[in-house]
Amino acid sequence: PIIYAITPTYARLVQKAELVRISQTFLHVKNFHWIVVEDSPVKTQLVSELLAQSGLRFTHLHTETPKEHKRKESDPNWLKPRGVEQRNLALQWLRENRELSEEGVVYFADDDNTYSLRLFDEIRSTKRVSVWPVGLVGGLRFERPLVEKGRVVGFYTAWKPNRPFPMDMAGFAIALQLLLANREARFDLLAERGYLESSLLQSLVSIEELEPRADNCTKVLVWHTRSEKPKMKQEELLQKQGLGSDPSIEV
Ligand code: UGA
Ligand code: MN
């Protein structure tokens, strides 16, 4: 099966660094197709060129998050769900461009996480929905599905444990055929904080059907890392003196 990784992304100082980092991980993954969806009214030159030069098989899409759902600079990062319309557009693209007969697996790969290559070996055999631990998330060292006799029986998580699927986006993959057969399944832009993952998974599987990976969910192969926002104090000072850095040099 081919692995489709869906990555929402938006313009910010660390965007190129994040995309370079994960694209160079993905270069090591065989039979891989990267679907990059920009949260932007246009396809930007930065992302277009990065993809063209990446050496990866890719699809480049864009859709801007509606204003009323977009986080303002002053809002706390958790106030609104992020990357929702972008992931939904990628699902729509798959439904319009792929046949039910194709064997594939879909993974939602945010641009800031850290991915072990071993994760993709685990993902590839997904029959319906596979699950595994995610490191450095939910205020814990890791969150993970709890497995007994090869079946998921619950979740190790501290935050809102009563969610239907208390898992981070990085902790599951879905068979392409399941998504093509359930054409209405999508992420809910209005989902309450923490319920985004559940909003999609609820219409696709039950907990008993989940397929544990990574040695019965005892290995961490993906980390919910987040990059620090770079400080631009000196840049701003120099700009005021007309000595800002050369804007034609891309960062
Ligand atoms: C956590 C989860 O890991 C995300 O998968 C989930 O979308 C998010 O919470 C949520 O509740 O919406 P977190 O690290 O806080 O993630 O979110 P980000 O990494 O900032 O954003 C997730 C993805 O959406 C990233 O790929 C990011 O580039 C993209 N994004 C973020 C946009 O496309 N537009 C934005 O305005 C912000
Ligand atoms: Mn993130």
Side-chain angles (χ1 to χ4, degrees):
I2 182 166
I3 293 174
Y4 291 96
I6 296 173
T7 302
T9 187
Y10 70 110
R12 63 213 192 272
L13 280 165
V14 298
Q15 183 183 31
K16 188 176 186 183
E18 304 282 31
L19 292 175
V20 165
R21 194 163 54 92
I22 63 169
S23 68
Q24 294 185 356
T25 297
F26 297 159
L27 275 177
H28 296 284
V29 183
K30 280 184 215 81
N31 210 359
F32 183 91
H33 185 135
W34 197 18
I35 305 179
V36 176
V37 192
E38 289 195 71
D39 184 349
S40 158
V42 294
K43 292 185 193 179
T44 66
Q45 187 184 346
L46 186 149
V47 174
S48 302
E49 283 176 4
L50 188 140
L51 286 171
Q53 292 167 13
S54 68
L56 291 164
R57 188 173 350 162
F58 68 87
T59 296
H60 185 187
L61 307 171
H62 70 95
T63 182
E64 191 175 28
T65 301
K67 280 264 174 329
E68 60 274 25
H69 294 286
K70 200 156 178 75
R71 183 170 76 95
K72 300 186 194 69
E73 186 81 19
S74 55
D75 285 345
N77 142 295
W78 45 260
L79 194 66
K80 303 256 167 67
R82 282 134 276 151
V84 181
E85 295 297 80
Q86 291 71 31
R87 296 187 190 97
N88 283 336
L89 180 64
L91 292 177
Q92 185 188 332
W93 183 88
L94 284 166
R95 286 168 177 143
E96 287 170 1
N97 293 279
R98 288 299 179 267
E99 305 291 333
L100 204 52
S101 56
E102 186 185 338
E103 286 195 28
V105 179
V106 176
Y107 181 49
F108 299 100
D110 288 355
D111 61 3
D112 56 343
N113 296 335
T114 304
Y115 305 95
S116 166
L117 293 177
R118 281 187 50 200
L119 178 67
F120 299 94
D121 300 332
E122 301 284 326
I123 285 178
R124 210 177 290 274
S125 61
T126 303
K127 296 288 164 266
R128 292 174 69 80
V129 176
S130 58
V131 293
W132 52 81
V134 176
L136 311 178
V137 74
L140 296 169
R141 291 173 63 236
F142 57 80
E143 290 179 345
R144 72 179 188 100
L146 298 168
V147 180
E148 272 173 26
K149 297 182 183 136
R151 298 254 170 230
V152 174
V153 295
F155 297 89
Y156 175 75
T157 179
W159 186 63
K160 298 191 181 177
N162 294 326
R163 290 173 290 164
F165 292 88
M167 292 193 289
D168 185 78
M169 198 67 72
F172 61 90
I174 305 172
L176 177 64
Q177 289 176 347
L178 188 61
L179 286 166
L180 295 183
N182 292 271
R183 304 187 84 82
E184 303 306 314
R186 61 200 323 271
F187 292 101
D188 182 0
L189 190 56
L190 303 174
E192 198 188 317
R193 188 179 163 212
Y195 285 74
L196 191 59
E197 293 82 354
S198 298
S199 74
L200 176 75
L201 290 171
Q202 261 178 325
S203 50
L204 293 173
V205 270
S206 58
I207 291 189
E208 308 81 68
E209 293 174 307
L210 296 173
E211 300 150 43
R213 292 292 184 274
D215 292 348
N216 282 323
C217 300
T218 61
K219 298 279 188 299
V220 174
L221 300 176
V222 57
W223 295 262
H224 185 251
T225 44
R226 308 183 71 187
S227 296
E228 185 185 11
K229 185 170 184 241
K231 294 183 180 62
M232 287 292 126
K233 201 156 174 245
Q234 300 304 329
E235 186 78 41
E236 284 156 17
L237 280 175
L238 287 174
Q239 252 167 33
K240 278 185 197 139
Q241 304 165 39
L243 298 171
S245 61
D246 183 345
S248 70
I249 297 180
E250 188 176 271
V251 178

